[in-house]
Amino acid sequence: MSAEIDWAALRSAAIEAMETAYAPYSNFPVGVAALVDDGRIVTGCNVENASYGVGLCAECGLVSELARTGGGKLIAFDCVDGKENTLMPCGRCRQLLYEFSAPGMLLNTVSGIKTIDEVLPDAFGPRNLEEYRG
Ligand code: THU
C-alpha cells in the first residue's frame, strides 16, 4: 500500500500548508497533509489564539477540510514543523485522525512509516460507541 502513495506530494502540500500557519505565540508553525481514499489531498495548519489554550492544531484544520470537501477516509498522512522536518502529531491529534482513518492508514513519522494503530494503540473510537449501543 505504501508504494502507491506519493509521499513527496504529501510533503509538498504539508509544507505549503505550514507556510500559512498562524503561530505568533509559539513561533512553531505546523503543516499537515493527508491523502483521502478518493485521491484528493487535504491539508491544515495550526491557528493560535491570544487565549493560548484555544489554539487549534493543524490536524483540526485538516479534519475540518476533509468534512467540508466531501468526507471520506484518510489513507496517508504527513506532518512538518517550521524547518520542514517530520513532526509527530500530538496525542489529541492522533485521536482526531483515528476517527477518519481508513483501515491501515499510514503516517510518515520520525521513526519511519507507521500505521495509525501503531501510533495510537488500543484506540477508543466509533466502534466502542456502536458496541455499547448494541
Ligand atoms: N501543533 C500542531 O499543530 N499539531 C501537532 O500535532 C503538534 C502541535 C501546534 C500547536 C501549537 O500551535 C504549536 O504546534 C506549538 O505547540
Side-chain angles (χ1 to χ4, degrees):
M1 185 164 148
S2 189
E4 300 153 27
I5 292 160
D6 188 347
W7 289 105
L10 280 185
R11 178 53 57 114
S12 301
I15 290 170
E16 200 177 307
M18 177 273 290
E19 287 167 351
T20 68
Y22 176 73
Y25 305 108
S26 69
N27 286 314
F28 192 84
V30 178
V32 292
L35 177 64
V36 184
D37 58 0
D38 66 359
R40 72 193 202 277
I41 287 179
V42 289
T43 59
C45 64
N46 53 337
V47 179
E48 297 184 347
N49 193 283
S51 178
Y52 298 163
V54 304
L56 303 174
C57 279
E59 292 83 346
C60 298
L62 183 145
V63 296
S64 177
E65 183 175 305
L66 175 70
R68 189 186 60 75
T69 60
K73 296 289 183 190
L74 304 173
I75 287 179
F77 170 87
D78 194 22
C79 180
V80 293
D81 66 17
K83 293 179 177 166
E84 304 185 6
N85 290 322
T86 303
L87 184 71
M88 291 306 289
C90 75
R92 180 177 185 274
C93 289
R94 295 178 200 195
Q95 183 72 30
L96 287 180
L97 296 171
Y98 182 78
E99 181 79 16
F100 301 102
S101 58
M105 176 191 171
L106 298 173
L107 296 89
N108 184 26
T109 80
V110 293
S111 45
I113 305 294
K114 294 206 164 164
T115 66
I116 188 75
D117 296 310
E118 286 174 309
V119 302
L120 193 66
D122 300 321
F124 172 83
R127 216 174 304 121
N128 296 100
L129 298 178
E130 280 160 27
E131 281 164 13
Y132 182 78
R133 286 192 199 111

